[in-house]
Amino acid sequence: MSRQGLKNHLVYLCIINYKSITMKKILFLLITLLFIQFNLAQSDEPYILRFHYMSVSGDVNEYIEANKTYFKKLAEQGVKDQVWAGWEMHQSMSEANKFLFIHHFKSPKQYENYRNVFSNDVAKKLGLKSPNWDSFQAEGKPYEFWQIVSYAFGKTSSKYFVKNEFKFTNAKKFVENNKLWGEMVINPQLENNEGMNWACGVRMMGNYWEDGNMMSFNGISFDGFNSLESLMKGSAYTETPKPNKYFEKFAEESRKRELNDFASARQSSVWKVIDNTWN
C-alpha cells in the first residue's frame, strides 16, 4: 500500500508567508495548534468532521472572495459562540470549480446543538457586506461525517493536502495500521519538515455494504505539505528512490502485526488550502 510522500495535516491549514510573518502570528499559530490537539485529545468524545463538497459555476474567484470576506467571518463567530469548533475551505487541484468545506465539531453533543452559523441576522450584527450573489451559483452534495481517530501535527500549517480515501471491512486493523504510521513515520519527521501534518479517520454514517463487502469509502487520511512542489516530488516516480528508515521500520512492524492488508481499495485527491478559522 503506497503512501503519498512521507512529508506532511489534517486539518489546517493556514497559508503563511514566512518572510513577513511576525512573532505575534507565530504565537497565535502555536496556540491554535495546541487548541486543536487539546480538542482531539478528549478520548471520551469523538471529534467530528462534517464534509460538504460544493460545485461552483460562474465567477469562481468571486466565490472564493465571498467565502474569505463574508462566510469566514460568520464561521469565526460560530467558533466564538461555541456552535462549532472550526471551518476550512479547500479547492480541488484537478477541478478548480470544486471545493471541500470541513466543519469541525468537538463532540456529538456540540453537533446535536448546532444551529445555522451562516445567519443573515448574525451577518447584519457583524456589519458584513453581502457578496454579489448573482456572480456565481454553488451546488452542494449531501454531508459526510467522519471521526478523527489519530493525528500528528507539526508546528506549522499545511498549504496543500493529499486526501486519501480507503475501503476496509476490519475497522480495528485500519485504525491500528494508521496509528502505527503516525507513530513510526510521521511523528519522527515533524521537527524537520515544515508544513508536515497528518490525520486519519473513519466514516461515521452512510456506509454501504453488499455481499459482505464494503462498497463505500469508509476510511480517510490527510497528508499535509508546505508546497505543491514538495507534494509532487514526494509523489513522483524515480528509478533510484532514496531509502527511508522510518518507512522501512514501519513496513517491518506492520508485517509483524499483520496490519499490512488493511484496505481493499484506495483513491487520492489533492486539495489547496484556501482559508480557515485559524488563519
Side-chain angles (χ1 to χ4, degrees):
M1 183 65 64
S2 63
R3 297 273 182 174
Q4 291 289 338
L6 299 175
K7 303 179 178 179
N8 311 266
H9 150 251
L10 206 194
V11 236
Y12 318 60
L13 319 176
C14 307
I15 301 177
I16 299 172
N17 184 335
Y18 287 97
K19 292 183 179 179
S20 62
I21 194 169
T22 65
M23 182 58 69
K24 182 178 180 181
K25 288 183 179 180
I26 294 174
L27 290 173
F28 175 77
L29 175 60
L30 291 175
I31 292 170
T32 295
L33 291 173
L34 287 172
F35 173 76
I36 295 169
Q37 292 188 55
F38 173 78
N39 279 332
L40 286 170
Q42 308 309 298
S43 58
D44 57 333
E45 290 287 353
Y47 192 91
I48 300 168
L49 303 181
R50 185 177 71 178
F51 285 12
H52 197 194
Y53 292 93
M54 303 289 289
S55 297
V56 178
S57 57
D59 193 333
V60 172
N61 289 330
E62 183 69 22
Y63 179 74
I64 292 174
E65 188 64 21
N67 274 277
K68 295 175 74 172
T69 60
Y70 182 81
F71 291 108
K72 176 184 176 180
K73 300 298 183 183
L74 294 170
E76 289 175 331
Q77 187 61 45
V79 174
K80 292 178 183 178
D81 295 339
Q82 299 188 40
V83 178
W84 60 12
W87 169 93
E88 304 178 41
M89 179 184 187
H90 297 198
Q91 183 179 25
S92 169
M93 291 301 295
S94 58
E95 298 177 89
N97 70 321
K98 300 293 177 64
F99 295 87
L100 168 60
F101 292 89
I102 303 179
H103 307 152
H104 294 245
F105 297 90
K106 61 184 179 181
S107 69
K109 185 69 172 179
Q110 186 178 47
Y111 179 72
E112 184 178 13
N113 294 331
Y114 171 78
R115 64 180 185 273
N116 183 24
V117 167
F118 303 115
S119 161
N120 288 331
D121 292 337
V122 176
K124 289 179 181 178
K125 289 180 181 179
L126 295 177
L128 299 179
K129 180 181 178 182
S130 295
N132 181 6
W133 303 114
D134 294 331
S135 64
F136 57 82
Q137 298 79 43
E139 182 178 352
K141 291 185 177 181
Y143 293 135
E144 293 180 8
F145 293 87
W146 299 84
Q147 176 191 353
I148 296 303
V149 295
S150 189
Y151 62 92
F153 295 161
K155 294 181 179 179
T156 57
S157 299
S158 306
K159 298 178 182 178
Y160 294 86
F161 280 91
V162 175
K163 178 169 66 69
N164 307 294
E165 296 174 274
F166 305 89
K167 293 181 182 179
F168 64 80
T169 54
N170 188 326
K172 190 174 189 298
K173 179 180 282 191
F174 174 81
V175 171
E176 288 185 357
N177 176 282
N178 276 275
K179 284 185 174 181
L180 188 66
W181 175 264
E183 293 169 5
M184 297 190 69
V185 180
I186 303 299
N187 270 321
Q189 301 185 85
L190 290 176
E191 189 71 28
N192 298 319
N193 287 276
E194 194 173 276
M196 186 180 195
N197 295 281
W198 170 87
C200 79
V202 294
R203 194 163 184 164
M204 297 186 71
M205 298 181 285
N207 289 321
Y208 169 48
W209 295 72
E210 187 173 299
D211 296 329
N213 297 314
M214 177 59 64
M215 306 303 291
S216 56
F217 286 93
N218 58 338
I220 198 167
S221 71
F222 299 85
D223 297 304
F225 294 81
N226 184 54
S227 67
L228 187 58
E229 178 186 11
S230 62
L231 186 156
M232 295 179 74
K233 284 184 175 179
S235 305
Y237 169 78
T238 175
E239 292 186 356
T240 57
K242 294 181 180 179
N244 185 294
K245 62 181 181 180
Y246 304 109
F247 177 77
E248 291 173 352
K249 289 180 179 179
F250 162 79
E252 181 180 355
E253 186 64 25
S254 180
R255 284 193 296 270
K256 286 181 181 178
R257 301 189 191 185
E258 298 183 344
L259 298 176
N260 46 325
D261 296 322
F262 66 94
S264 59
R266 169 183 172 170
Q267 66 179 15
S268 297
S269 55
V270 179
W271 299 81
K272 178 182 179 180
V273 178
I274 298 299
D275 214 338
N276 56 70
T277 50
W278 300 285
N279 183 12

